[in-house]
Amino acid sequence: MAIKARAGWLKLDSFSSCKVILFLILISIHLCELNAWSPSAMHTNNWAILVCTSRFWFNYRHMANTLSLYRTVKRLGIPDDRIILMLADDMACNARNKYPAQVFNNENHRLNLYGDNVEVDYRGYEVTVENFLRVLTGRHETAVPRSKRLLSDEGSHILLYMTGHGGDEFLKFQDSEELQSHDLADAVKQMKQKRRFKELLIMVDTCQAATLFSQLHSPGVLAIGSSMKGENSYSHHLDSDVGVSVVDRFTFYTLAFFERLNMYNNASLSSLFNSYNPSLLMSTAYYRTDLYKRPLDKVPVTDFFGSVMETIHTDSAYRGFSVKGTDKAEIKAPLNLKASQAERRALSAYHQDQISDFNKEVCSFHCIWSTLHKTVVEKIEDADTFVNYGLVVIIPLVAASTWLWR
Amino acid sequence: MKPRMMAGSSGDTKNPKIKPRPIVRIGIFLISHSIVVSLLCFAAGIVALILLPLFAKNTYISENALMPGSANSMLSSQDVKEANKLVKDIIGLKLSSEEARIEIPRLIAQHMADAGSEVYYHKFHPQMSQFYPLHFFSGSPNSGNIKENHSCVSHAINTVGIIRAPRGDGKEAIVLVTPYNSEKVELGEALSLALAYSIFSLLTRVTWLAKDVIWLAADARYGEYASVTAWLRDYHIPQFSALEKLDADICFESGYPHEQNENQIRTDVISRAGTMAAGLVFKVVDKHKETDKDTLSIYAEASNGQMPNLDLINIVNYLAVHRQGLRVKVEKLYFLLDSVFLKIVGDVLETIGKVARSLNARWEFGIPVADYIDGAATLASSMYHQALGVPTGSHGAFRDYQVDAITLEISPKVSLNNEVRILEFLLRGGRLIEGTIRSVNNLLEKFHQSFFLYFLTSPSKFVSVGVYMIAFGLLVVPLPIIAASLYCDANVLDSHCIKEQQKSGPASTNEAGIAFQSWRWLHAAKVVLVIHLWGAIVSLLPYLMYQFPEMTPTTSMLSWGLLSIASLLFLHQILGSPYSCVTVNQSPNREWAVLKSMMIAAAGIGLGLMSIINFATAQIGALLIVPMCLMVHPLKHVYRAGRLRTLAVTACNISLGFIGFPPAAFLFLKAYSEGLGSVSAGDFWNWVESLWAWNSATYLYLGLIHLPCWLLFMYVLLHPC
């Protein structure tokens, strides 16, 4: 939108009017700010980063956890190119594995998690704190392929799942490094500033997972961990055929929750969070919501674990999406998504309120147009219209100013 | 004793205002109260030693990767039935010893090959027990250079099978060893071979192997240790010289079992797997002693008090107790179980524990009397076997190559005469070993996580180095203090004498006298040095006596003693008698004190060095040496004190002089534990022979530290003051 305004300014440049320039600059600044300030960005895409931070045969369960989550989010609709999977990946082909090239998360061995299409993005010794932070913040070296990057934008909902061995405010990476809670908070803050996400759900299954969230303070972040400070997270059961524990309790019950769902389900985040039973978990699941504004019982889990299901019809390739557009656009979604649509409408109304609120504060210099402006702003429903109106207003202004100079 | 003037001797220097540093003051304080301090420390050391069973901790599996018992056993009754067939085959051979020697390896090799593994024969010569004075700590001496004329019959043949891990990297291996006597196979040996076969044939089929598995059927006709150590040496030291190969090939035709399928079983090459992660020696012992459960005895001590990593014992113990329901035993000194002293101590400790718990419920340090006695007997055995430095089984050969290994001796609860019972027994034992292998298979690195320095007080309890070091430290602390205090006393006394001399008349040689004062310890040091030199000569004498191989132990012992005395006299002839007072100037009644302080210093240094080499030896040695060092007093000098005191000191000294003499102490202990009848003078020779046969550092300790210390003790005791 800012670009459009600048284009308008270029058109008008031939008139070479100082005031016009001044005014236009003001307007463009106004629009830019409008754009930056308001979370006008719509939830448009979903990403998932799944990290298994441990290696070695006896940590089989961590890889099984991660692969299970991978399977779940894929099943719920996040495409493979939007999943960054970081795995030591030394289980399936481990010589100790009784079932070569297979990984199970249950002793019944019904489901092979290591099927045909597991795309591991960061494998083996690539799973480092450095690479993890690079993925989050998007500061890659130029040679890193797009498939290994988190190409999210301000409309992205990101699920960040981590499992491994942790402690008080840290998470071990493959027995050689640690990710500290500061590092995580710092990375998230950078992401926020770079507008790499709209909402972020961090889910951690380690011992003392809650401590990893203590430094977070970026808005839009929701965090859930398997255990409180001082608690351990335990494995769920041992597969005595393979000879190792195959899944952790927290992840097991998370998966159990999701197994009941399909991608059109409306189960809310709060129902997920309430499904954790401390006595079954043998630890207390902790969630941090103070940075997250939306009520949890209104947010479907598919907002993070699934993918945006709307197909947005646009008139031309150029126009892109807009708040109005989504409302007007023809939505090809199944019927049972209606509730969330309604909610989204409410959301866009909320955005508009914010816009008008903002505009009330503008106009100390151009008092003459203030009333006009107000009415215009109140009437407008999207930025494009606003720009159009602006251009129309400018024409008499320019005419008047040229006339005055003569 | 006389009041000490230590503070004066160092304090009244030119500048009395400057206070010495605190550490110096502490030193001065300790030295000036040396008697009290050393008594306290020594008593505390003894008490700490007695309390060790109380401080034993439960063992725990420290390495996460091991995960013992997390996998179901795959050994089926079918495997066991196959194995039982092997038992019948071996027992049913009914061959002469000459045929059996060839036939049993052939049978085993056939089974190994049929299971689908690589097989080869390893031929070796028996080794003479020889005394190599310079080969201590160098592992087994290399016999390649001194091959004697062995007849082809004297070869023993180990049969070795290797399973390559199907998806492993082939860099690590687990070794199973089953010793058997090829000349006369007993049921127990046949069972252990069958046990190994059942596991081996199972392991050729499993998909989870990450390490290669080697099965060594060791021909133990020359002792199981000899066969294992010969194989290990050839495994680790590749022989490249053509000469040795030629030598090996001389008996090629007659030495090896003949095979129809020669191409499968190799005889000329030692094929290798990776580095060894662990070695498991297992034996079945048919003891005919009825117990309520099958019993597993664990033997762990290797040469010079080296122990395998505690985790290895832990996993075997865990699997045996919690998975297979065996009773696990480690060695203990059984005669200590009836000890009255231990019972009293145990009672006292139990009472104290109860009282403490009644005062505060959180204080839990008392243990029941039975536990205490049992723990103490096991601890004593553990300490004794470590101190002896002789391995308790063929697992000791592995330790020379830094491989963790233990011997598992499984004995059935009833005699194995019916087949069902044998099958059940094999299944249980096999599952235990399979579980252990699977656990070790999970290991990612060498065993390193758990303890290497520990004493066991029961199969599931141990005393770690951090705890038992305290007792030794307390025992040894008095030595430097007493040595310093004696030396200072002697000096102070002399300076007094000189001052008095100065008062009485102007001495012309004053300066020289003082200069001489500060060098007077040289004479005592020379005596100590000569005695230690003598100790070294005595410990080398057996080499000389090995040149006359026809001697009986008793004559050897006697000639050793005579030669030792002769060499002592000879040394004194050359280097001067220990009692030769050098000048009149020196106060003679203090000369023994300087000698004693030198002796204590040498003993302290010796103990300290020994504690690094073999801690248990140093600990037991300290129990003997430290009281000797503290108590020794010239008999003549003592008579000047009161009567009761004289009697006590004399009795103490004489009994210490008796106990401190190694042969006397050994024979005394033997008589105590086995009865008087079994004792003869040759026993000590045999015992010492076993020490150097096993390259035990305890022998060096006895020769270089203990014996000189004892002789110096006698010198001081008989000092003509």
Side-chain angles (χ1 to χ4, degrees), chain B residues 78-104:
Chain B
Q78 191 56 39
D79 296 315
V80 171
K81 272 180 196 151
E82 289 290 317
N84 194 31
K85 269 183 206 155
L86 180 65
V87 176
K88 283 178 185 160
D89 286 354
I90 294 174
I91 296 294
L93 275 177
K94 296 268 190 271
L95 298 161
S96 69
S97 70
E98 190 55 36
E99 288 167 314
R101 208 172 57 74
I102 307 241
E103 197 57 24
I104 291 174

Side-chain angles (χ1 to χ4, degrees), chain B residues 479-610:
Chain B
L479 294 184
I481 295 175
I482 290 282
S485 127
L486 277 173
Y487 183 70
C488 291
D489 273 1
N491 271 348
V492 169
L493 212 70
D494 284 338
S495 59
H496 275 275
C497 293
I498 288 165
K499 272 175 197 163
E500 277 162 28
Q501 278 176 6
Q502 281 173 332
K503 278 172 201 164
S504 62
S508 55
T509 56
N510 207 358
E511 293 279 311
I514 288 171
F516 183 78
Q517 280 300 310
S518 52
W519 288 104
R520 52 176 296 187
W521 57 271
L522 265 182
H523 175 70
K526 196 191 88 182
V527 173
V528 170
L529 204 70
V530 167
I531 302 294
H532 278 87
L533 185 66
W534 172 76
I537 291 172
V538 168
S539 35
L540 289 181
L541 279 178
Y543 182 66
L544 199 67
M545 283 147 70
Y546 260 100
Q547 311 306 314
F548 312 98
E550 299 306 317
M551 289 205 282
T552 63
T554 317
T555 44
S556 297
M557 187 64 220
L558 285 177
S559 50
W560 191 17
L562 286 176
L563 279 173
S564 308
I565 294 167
S567 60
L568 181 66
L569 294 176
F570 180 67
L571 276 178
H572 284 326
Q573 260 333 294
I574 299 178
L575 299 166
S577 157
Y579 300 135
S580 61
C581 291
V582 192
T583 46
V584 206
N585 203 353
Q586 202 165 357
S587 52
N589 63 336
R590 279 285 126 184
E591 200 206 354
W592 68 268
V594 179
L595 183 62
K596 183 180 170 182
S597 100
M598 282 297 144
M599 157 198 170
I600 291 176
I605 292 169
L607 280 180
L609 286 178
M610 193 60 210

Side-chain angles (χ1 to χ4, degrees), chain A residues 131-163:
Chain A
N131 279 342
F132 173 70
L133 293 178
R134 281 186 186 282
V135 166
L136 287 189
T137 55
R139 295 162 163 241
H140 290 283
E141 285 178 24
T142 42
V144 173
R146 280 172 65 87
S147 67
K148 295 174 100 171
R149 294 175 187 236
L150 176 70
L151 299 169
S152 59
D153 54 37
E154 59 208 306
S156 302
H157 278 193
I158 301 179
L159 166 71
L160 171 59
Y161 173 84
M162 292 190 282
T163 180

Side-chain angles (χ1 to χ4, degrees), chain A residues 350-365:
Chain A
Y350 168 71
H351 293 165
Q352 284 170 8
D353 285 349
Q354 269 203 339
I355 294 168
S356 52
D357 283 351
F358 176 76
N359 285 333
K360 276 173 195 162
E361 293 161 21
V362 193
C363 297
S364 56
F365 175 62

Side-chain angles (χ1 to χ4, degrees), chain A residues 56-58 92-101 238-245, chain B residues 64-65 67 69-72 74 167-168 172 207-211 438 441-444:
Chain A
F56 305 132
W57 175 242
F58 62 98
C93 297
N94 197 305
R96 294 166 185 85
N97 193 351
K98 192 178 169 186
Y99 300 94
L238 180 90
D239 182 346
S240 50
D241 207 14
V242 183
V244 283
S245 303
Chain B
N64 284 331
M67 301 185 292
S70 61
N72 281 340
M74 294 169 72
R167 285 175 297 130
E172 284 178 307
T207 50
W208 45 258
L209 271 188
K211 295 176 170 42
R438 187 146 194 192
N441 183 57
N442 284 338
L443 204 61
L444 300 156

Side-chain angles (χ1 to χ4, degrees), chain B residues 338-633:
Chain B
D338 312 322
S339 156
V340 182
F341 172 72
L342 284 182
K343 182 152 175 27
I344 293 169
V345 173
D347 275 330
V348 170
L349 289 176
E350 190 180 2
T351 322
I352 293 176
K354 272 181 191 160
V355 170
R357 208 167 306 148
S358 67
L359 290 177
N360 187 339
R362 275 181 299 168
W363 290 347
E364 287 184 13
F365 52 80
I367 56 171
V369 188
D371 282 7
Y372 176 79
I373 294 176
D374 209 53
T378 315
L379 179 78
S381 156
S382 186
M383 209 184 263
Y384 169 73
H385 281 110
Q386 287 188 28
L388 205 56
V390 176
T392 47
S394 44
H395 57 268
F398 285 92
R399 193 66 227 173
D400 292 340
Y401 299 91
Q402 304 302 314
V403 178
D404 296 289
I406 51 174
T407 294
L408 311 175
E409 201 180 272
I410 314 171
S411 52
K413 58 184 174 190
V414 288
S415 187
L416 293 174
N417 33 27
N418 70 3
E419 184 161 333
V420 179
R421 181 66 201 119
I422 288 182
L423 289 180
E424 189 202 335
F425 176 75
L426 282 178
L427 192 63
R428 189 167 288 173
R431 286 188 168 163
L432 166 70
I433 290 158
E434 186 210 334
T436 313
I437 291 173
R438 187 146 194 192
S439 180
V440 175
N441 183 57
N442 284 338
L443 204 61
L444 300 156
E445 301 160 282
K446 262 178 77 110
F447 278 104
H448 66 280
Q449 197 68 256
S450 194
F451 294 88
F452 283 100
L453 299 167
Y454 56 89
F455 293 129
L456 289 174
T457 63
S458 87
S460 59
K461 283 194 157 191
F462 75 106
V463 184
S464 80
V465 60
V467 176
Y468 69 67
M469 259 172 78
I470 296 170
F472 176 73
L474 286 170
L475 284 179
V476 173
V477 155
L479 294 184
I481 295 175
I482 290 282
S485 127
L486 277 173
Y487 183 70
C488 291
D489 273 1
N491 271 348
V492 169
L493 212 70
D494 284 338
S495 59
H496 275 275
C497 293
I498 288 165
K499 272 175 197 163
E500 277 162 28
Q501 278 176 6
Q502 281 173 332
K503 278 172 201 164
S504 62
S508 55
T509 56
N510 207 358
E511 293 279 311
I514 288 171
F516 183 78
Q517 280 300 310
S518 52
W519 288 104
R520 52 176 296 187
W521 57 271
L522 265 182
H523 175 70
K526 196 191 88 182
V527 173
V528 170
L529 204 70
V530 167
I531 302 294
H532 278 87
L533 185 66
W534 172 76
I537 291 172
V538 168
S539 35
L540 289 181
L541 279 178
Y543 182 66
L544 199 67
M545 283 147 70
Y546 260 100
Q547 311 306 314
F548 312 98
E550 299 306 317
M551 289 205 282
T552 63
T554 317
T555 44
S556 297
M557 187 64 220
L558 285 177
S559 50
W560 191 17
L562 286 176
L563 279 173
S564 308
I565 294 167
S567 60
L568 181 66
L569 294 176
F570 180 67
L571 276 178
H572 284 326
Q573 260 333 294
I574 299 178
L575 299 166
S577 157
Y579 300 135
S580 61
C581 291
V582 192
T583 46
V584 206
N585 203 353
Q586 202 165 357
S587 52
N589 63 336
R590 279 285 126 184
E591 200 206 354
W592 68 268
V594 179
L595 183 62
K596 183 180 170 182
S597 100
M598 282 297 144
M599 157 198 170
I600 291 176
I605 292 169
L607 280 180
L609 286 178
M610 193 60 210
S611 73
I612 298 168
I613 297 166
N614 187 346
F615 196 89
T617 310
Q619 189 138 24
I620 292 181
L623 277 178
L624 282 172
I625 283 191
V626 174
M628 272 162 66
C629 289
L630 297 185
M631 287 300 295
V632 64
H633 210 85

Side-chain angles (χ1 to χ4, degrees), chain A residues 338-393:
Chain A
K338 284 219 164 133
S340 72
Q341 265 180 51
E343 185 196 317
R344 284 201 183 109
R345 273 196 206 97
L347 206 70
S348 43
Y350 168 71
H351 293 165
Q352 284 170 8
D353 285 349
Q354 269 203 339
I355 294 168
S356 52
D357 283 351
F358 176 76
N359 285 333
K360 276 173 195 162
E361 293 161 21
V362 193
C363 297
S364 56
F365 175 62
H366 302 278
C367 285
I368 302 166
W369 295 291
S370 65
T371 43
L372 177 67
H373 193 104
K374 255 188 196 169
T375 49
V376 168
V377 165
E378 273 162 14
K379 276 179 195 164
I380 59 149
E381 282 166 286
D382 71 342
D384 278 354
T385 341
F386 180 67
V387 171
N388 294 338
Y389 277 126
L391 288 176
V392 172
V393 172

